Amino acid sequence: MSQPGSGYGVKRILVRIILPFALLFSIATITFWLLSSYLIGHYLQDDLRQQMVRVARVISQSSYVLNPVILLQMKEVINAEIILFDARGKILNCTISGGTDDTVAKEIAGKGFSPANASEPILEFQGQRYKTISQTLTIPGRGQAFLCLWKPTGESDQLQARIFATTGWLALAGILAMTLAGYLIVRTITLPVEELVEVTGRIAENDFSKRAVVRSNDEIGMLAQSFNRMMDQLQNYEKRLVESEKMATAGRMAAGLAHEIRNPLTSIKMFVQVLHGRLQGQQDNQKMAASLLQEIGRLERIIEQIVERARPGELHRRRGNINDQLTELLALAAPSLQTGNISLESRLSPELPEFDYDPEKMKQVFWNLLINSREAMPKGGRVEIVSGRVSDGIEITFADTGMGIQDGNIDVCFKSFYSTKPEGLGLGLSTSRKIVEKHGGALELANRAEGGAIATIHLPVEKGSHEQNSGG
């Protein structure tokens, strides 16, 4: 069994396509060659016989059949031996050299030739083959006689052999040309299939970088295009599956950690609360206990955030204007950004329509993007938040003047547990993208030409929301 990508299977298909047609064409060509050679030879022999009959008729009607000099001259003209027999088979005149008429007559009789009944059209005499015909005539004073013409078959045989060889070579050339043309034609079909087999073999070896070459717009080209689209979709599905597996693993780890940490943390919290109550009148100790309770609360919130980031959960939609969450974000974040020498600018469009979304989830997305921008500008800078209406929904952008995305590797930023910060979990952007995608939208990152990065959120709005908001 051939391995994928080896090309053996495809070459076998190539042979299986060409071989039957080449064999059929060869049989037809050889049959035509043999039949045409036979018919041409038959027509040549028939034409030669008719010529000999006409010549014999003309000679028999002439008055010089008994003149040996004239017959020898006629022999040179028609290239045939002329023999005149009487009714008893005696030679009256003969152009055959090499013996007397009686000697020739005995030798001819020994060959079984009879001028009155020339049943054998081909006669071998003195090492040479002759084609023979007989014509009866009446000679004054001698009665009935027979005029025989013996035409050497050498030239005719050579002509037939040349015709047979020439047509044979033409037939062979036709077979080879047809086979080559068939190979080239079939190759145009099997070459894309061979390339497709090679690509599938590479894919079977876990090399997903190869794609089929689209050489035409026919069915084979459409197959290659469909295969490439299928591979792109499979890669996207694989990425999503890996991402889902990572998130599922993170969710299970987070759930396990939460279960293991919450129980002792709850006990510690209870003991600290009891201790806080027993330290009445001891202000310093009570402050320490209160600080412990605050830190325990902070740990509980961190655990909840880990679980929430690893497992975004279901959306709780309600109708509203997303500018409300952006306005709340601006009010809460402005003081913190100012301490870091970061200016916050906003341009929120008043024409945004109301639509159904999860305010808390989207607020989490906005916070994640704002935190990323702040951490990208440790020495200060500017963050610009813009919201606006687009043709098919709402667009929100977060632009900063920070370091931008290193090496332009944007896709890797959305991978779970990928972070350039030592203390980061690498779940912020991946969780934010999942939340946006749950809303049917898209979250994209890009580097700005003037420096820094820009995050763009696109959220679809159901048709009619803008009209309803404007009419209300």
Side-chain angles (χ1 to χ4, degrees), residues 120-185:
E120 293 293 335
I122 301 297
L123 174 69
E124 287 195 11
F125 183 77
Q126 294 182 353
Q128 191 172 359
R129 298 173 73 249
Y130 294 94
K131 186 172 183 63
T132 65
I133 62 168
S134 295
Q135 179 71 33
T136 60
L137 71 159
T138 301
I139 300 177
R142 293 182 180 270
Q144 186 179 14
F146 298 95
L147 178 66
C148 296
L149 295 183
W150 288 11
K151 180 77 172 179
T153 61
E155 293 183 359
S156 176
D157 292 341
Q158 291 179 3
L159 178 60
Q160 290 189 51
R162 286 197 299 270
I163 292 174
F164 184 80
T166 302
T167 54
W169 283 112
L170 290 176
L172 179 60
I175 292 173
L176 294 177
M178 185 63 184
T179 303
L180 179 60
Y183 172 82
L184 295 177
I185 293 173

Side-chain angles (χ1 to χ4, degrees), residues 405-406 408-419 426 429:
I405 302 170
Q406 296 181 358
N409 197 354
I410 295 172
D411 291 335
V412 75
C413 295
F414 291 104
K415 290 185 177 181
S416 298
F417 306 108
Y418 172 82
S419 176
L429 284 176

Side-chain angles (χ1 to χ4, degrees), residues 277-305:
R278 291 181 179 181
L279 294 175
Q280 295 292 336
Q282 302 179 27
Q283 294 182 357
D284 293 339
N285 290 333
Q286 276 194 327
K287 287 181 179 179
M288 292 178 61
S291 298
L292 285 175
L293 287 174
Q294 289 179 357
E295 293 301 320
I296 291 172
R298 182 169 174 268
L299 287 175
E300 289 179 335
R301 288 192 300 273
I302 290 175
I303 292 173
E304 291 297 333
Q305 289 176 1

Side-chain angles (χ1 to χ4, degrees), residues 58-133:
V58 171
I59 295 175
S60 64
Q61 293 175 356
S62 64
S63 58
Y64 48 78
V65 291
L66 295 177
N67 190 332
V69 178
I70 299 297
L71 290 184
L72 287 174
Q73 293 176 351
M74 288 295 300
K75 169 185 175 180
E76 296 297 328
V77 173
I78 64 175
N79 190 26
E81 300 289 350
I82 304 173
I83 308 173
L84 183 63
F85 294 91
D86 62 9
R88 293 175 298 175
K90 182 179 178 181
I91 295 178
L92 300 177
N93 207 343
C94 177
T95 60
I96 299 176
S97 60
T100 63
D101 292 345
D102 292 338
T103 304
V104 172
K106 290 180 181 180
E107 191 173 352
I108 291 174
K111 295 292 183 179
F113 177 79
S114 173
N117 185 18
S119 58
E120 293 293 335
I122 301 297
L123 174 69
E124 287 195 11
F125 183 77
Q126 294 182 353
Q128 191 172 359
R129 298 173 73 249
Y130 294 94
K131 186 172 183 63
T132 65
I133 62 168

Side-chain angles (χ1 to χ4, degrees), residues 32-44 160 164:
F32 177 77
W33 167 49
L34 295 176
L35 183 61
S36 61
S37 298
Y38 169 77
L39 291 177
I40 291 173
H42 178 74
Y43 293 150
L44 287 175
Q160 290 189 51
F164 184 80

Side-chain angles (χ1 to χ4, degrees), residues 46-56 133 149:
D46 187 64
D47 183 67
L48 178 62
R49 184 172 184 82
Q50 291 179 5
Q51 291 180 11
M52 291 176 65
V53 169
R54 288 194 297 268
V55 171
I133 62 168
L149 295 183

